[in-house]
Amino acid sequence: VVSTQSTGKLLANELVKNLDTPAAAAENQITPAVDPGPEIKFKLVYNKTNYEIVMGENRTVRELKDHIETLTKLPRAMQKLMFKGLVKDDTKTLKELKVVKNSKMMLVGTTMSDLVAVTTKPTTAEIAAHTSTASKKESLSKQKIHQKVLDKGKPEDAMPGIAGVKQPLPPHPLNGMVNKTGGKVRLTFKLEEDSLWIGTKARTEKINMSNIKNVVSEKIESDPNYHIIGIQLGPTELSIYWIYWVPAQYVDAVKDTILGKWQTFF
């Protein structure tokens, strides 16, 4: 019969032996804290709200997302950061991203409460009301003001369009489009300035994206690879700037970037 005291010694000796192994030593080694580095003060734009962020330049994107979650209640897994394009690597530091004082970063994402609201099954009355409204509203492609532009045909320099596909904004401006007068249009997104540049042959309008009220779109019936997009610059629909022959694969990215959140379409 082995005494309780002997059993205790055996277990203690085994524990010490296990702790002395290289694997255990590595597991129990205390990792020194990373120096956060000099602080950087920059802006985060989310859902038309500006947040001031102050973090050390050695902080990672993951740490930034954790901080953003406390500010916005937007879960880290649902955050997408835009800074000179989509930020894909959560292990990169702010310094590596070249975030400096007064930089602007854009956040897109949908909160859980928004998702619940979107995925809630509509009532029979709501479906009937939506169907009734939709049936009365003529498609953009058939409205005279737009049909007049579309009848001129797709511009020869139009970018290739792909229906049924969603792609992020390309690194270069969107071009090969026209406005309602038939003039050439290009869209340049300046994320670091939170601005949209609408360029024509005559001039370039620089618009703060936080001032844009809404963005609407509809596929062109004669060619679903392209859409008509309307950017509402003022309080009423009369201020909508119409753009034609926008490649279908970029439409969602245009809306997301301008409005600062993911849009849900049916």
Side-chain angles (χ1 to χ4, degrees), residues 102-103 127 153 167:
N102 296 329
S103 287
I127 294 173
Q167 294 182 352

Side-chain angles (χ1 to χ4, degrees), residues 47-71:
N47 201 13
K48 297 188 181 294
T49 301
N50 290 316
Y51 296 89
E52 188 174 271
I53 308 291
V54 180
M55 293 189 78
E57 64 178 14
N58 293 331
R59 295 299 187 188
T60 64
V61 172
R62 182 188 177 101
E63 290 175 300
L64 172 59
K65 287 184 175 181
D66 286 338
H67 180 54
I68 289 172
E69 183 171 348
T70 64
L71 292 175

Side-chain angles (χ1 to χ4, degrees), residues 33-156:
V34 177
D35 178 11
E39 288 188 337
I40 309 170
K41 184 185 293 186
F42 60 98
K43 290 184 179 180
L44 177 78
V45 182
Y46 172 59
N47 201 13
K48 297 188 181 294
T49 301
N50 290 316
Y51 296 89
E52 188 174 271
I53 308 291
V54 180
M55 293 189 78
E57 64 178 14
N58 293 331
R59 295 299 187 188
T60 64
V61 172
R62 182 188 177 101
E63 290 175 300
L64 172 59
K65 287 184 175 181
D66 286 338
H67 180 54
I68 289 172
E69 183 171 348
T70 64
L71 292 175
T72 65
K73 310 305 179 187
L74 181 64
R76 175 162 49 83
M78 303 180 74
Q79 297 176 25
K80 290 193 181 295
L81 291 172
M82 305 288 289
F83 183 72
K84 301 177 181 179
L86 180 64
V87 179
K88 298 179 180 180
D89 189 352
D90 280 8
T91 65
K92 280 195 171 183
T93 64
L94 298 178
K95 183 177 182 180
E96 290 171 329
L97 287 179
K98 294 181 170 52
V99 177
V100 296
K101 183 180 179 181
N102 296 329
S103 287
K104 281 191 178 181
M105 191 175 291
M106 179 168 290
L107 170 68
V108 289
T110 304
T111 62
M112 291 304 296
S113 58
D114 288 339
L115 280 178
V116 170
V118 165
T119 55
T120 300
K121 186 177 180 180
T123 64
T124 304
E126 288 173 333
I127 294 173
H130 176 76
T131 304
S132 175
T133 303
S135 62
K136 293 178 182 177
K137 189 174 181 180
E138 191 177 29
S139 70
L140 294 178
S141 296
K142 292 182 179 179
Q143 293 177 21
K144 288 184 180 180
I145 186 175
H146 305 303
Q147 195 172 34
K148 184 172 64 174
V149 180
L150 299 177
D151 284 347
K152 296 178 182 179
K154 182 175 67 177
E156 292 183 0

Side-chain angles (χ1 to χ4, degrees), residues 253-264:
V254 169
K255 290 183 174 182
D256 296 341
T257 303
I258 292 176
L259 299 177
K261 59 182 178 180
W262 295 123
Q263 302 295 297
T264 305

Side-chain angles (χ1 to χ4, degrees), residues 125-241:
E126 288 173 333
I127 294 173
H130 176 76
T131 304
S132 175
T133 303
S135 62
K136 293 178 182 177
K137 189 174 181 180
E138 191 177 29
S139 70
L140 294 178
S141 296
K142 292 182 179 179
Q143 293 177 21
K144 288 184 180 180
I145 186 175
H146 305 303
Q147 195 172 34
K148 184 172 64 174
V149 180
L150 299 177
D151 284 347
K152 296 178 182 179
K154 182 175 67 177
E156 292 183 0
D157 61 344
M159 298 173 65
I162 311 171
V165 173
K166 295 182 181 181
Q167 294 182 352
L169 291 174
H172 51 77
L174 294 178
N175 50 44
M177 304 169 294
V178 297
N179 56 25
K180 68 179 182 180
T181 64
K184 297 287 186 182
V185 175
R186 69 181 176 278
L187 297 179
T188 305
F189 292 87
K190 296 288 186 178
L191 300 181
E192 65 278 8
E193 301 174 8
D194 191 30
S195 64
L196 169 65
W197 294 10
I198 302 178
T200 63
K201 187 176 180 180
R203 60 189 299 177
T204 297
E205 291 287 348
K206 300 179 181 180
I207 303 164
N208 190 310
M209 286 192 279
S210 63
N211 293 332
I212 296 175
K213 307 302 180 185
N214 195 19
V215 182
V216 296
S217 71
E218 191 176 293
K219 68 181 179 181
I220 296 174
E221 292 186 359
S222 60
D223 191 342
N225 292 314
Y226 296 89
H227 279 226
I228 301 170
I229 277 187
I231 301 174
Q232 188 173 328
L233 304 176
T236 70
E237 292 185 358
L238 294 175
S239 65
I240 293 179
Y241 185 87

Side-chain angles (χ1 to χ4, degrees), residues 1-14:
V1 179
V2 181
S3 68
T4 304
Q5 186 176 6
S6 299
T7 303
K9 287 183 179 179
L10 288 171
L11 291 174
N13 290 337
E14 189 65 24

